[in-house]
Amino acid sequence: MQTLEAIAKRKSTRDFDPNQAVPDEVVDTIVKAGCQAPIGGNQRDSLHLTVCSNRDILDEINPATARDFFYGAPVVVFVSAAPKQMAPSVEYANAACVIENMLIAATDAGVDNIYLWGAVQALARNPELCAKMGIPEGFKPVSAAALGYSLSGASQPRELSVSLSANYI
């Protein structure tokens, strides 16, 4: 698949099949794509990835309600960051670059996906669970990508267009 085709085909999936695993080698390729993202100041030591396919752990992150923040996804990749004083808040931009690379790579591999933020905030407020997941001291979860296969089938490519407010000078 060509890059622009993958970008046009990518969509947020909210109905993953929890019983259809993503092969480990495909997850590894997706994670490697995330690691190729541009990082502000090349501060790669300020990011940490946690690949979680443990449903018990994911269920712990979900609140006491019946809501599944992960939409049944069998794999969630969390991006955690250590804030850098020389560039405040750059960790959010860096994490977004990592996530975007992973989402495009997942789409290219035929893996459905979604960019997550709300679930990550719940995790960030739980230091015991962060430690249980192996998130290093001083790092805070800032975003995540859920990966799996949609129950409703493959998405269709959209036409690429300028759909945000834009001007050309």
Side-chain angles (χ1 to χ4, degrees):
M1 185 178 306
Q2 296 294 319
T3 303
L4 293 179
E5 184 182 353
I7 290 170
K9 189 172 182 178
R10 203 217 70 75
K11 72 169 188 156
S12 294
T13 297
R14 292 177 177 84
D15 67 342
F16 293 100
D17 181 347
N19 299 312
Q20 188 176 2
V22 181
D24 291 342
E25 59 274 4
V26 174
V27 172
D28 190 50
T29 297
I30 293 167
V31 170
K32 286 176 182 175
C35 292
Q36 298 307 306
I39 303 298
N42 200 29
Q43 297 178 352
R44 295 189 173 279
D45 63 340
S46 69
L47 295 175
H48 177 81
L49 305 180
T50 302
V51 181
C52 183
S53 57
N54 182 318
R55 192 76 233 169
D56 293 334
I57 296 281
L58 295 175
D59 288 343
E60 279 188 62
I61 298 167
N62 284 318
T65 67
R67 179 161 183 221
D68 179 3
F69 276 129
F70 307 110
Y71 306 102
V75 178
V76 179
V77 181
F78 295 90
V79 180
S80 299
K84 293 293 185 183
Q85 295 303 317
M86 65 181 271
S89 300
V90 72
E91 65 269 19
Y92 295 99
N94 288 340
C97 290
V98 170
I99 294 289
E100 179 69 2
N101 270 22
M102 288 193 296
L103 299 182
I104 299 302
T107 301
D108 184 62
V111 176
D112 298 305
N113 53 77
I114 188 169
Y115 188 158
L116 299 171
W117 192 79
V120 177
Q121 298 313 301
L123 173 59
R125 290 188 298 271
N126 188 332
E128 295 83 19
L129 189 52
C130 286
K132 184 177 184 178
M133 292 177 64
I135 296 172
E137 179 103 15
F139 282 73
K140 174 186 172 187
V142 294
S143 61
L147 308 171
Y149 300 99
S150 174
L151 289 168
S152 60
S155 65
Q156 298 301 314
R158 300 175 306 268
E159 182 177 326
L160 291 179
S161 65
V162 178
S163 61
L164 301 174
S165 176
N167 68 306
Y168 296 79
I169 301 173

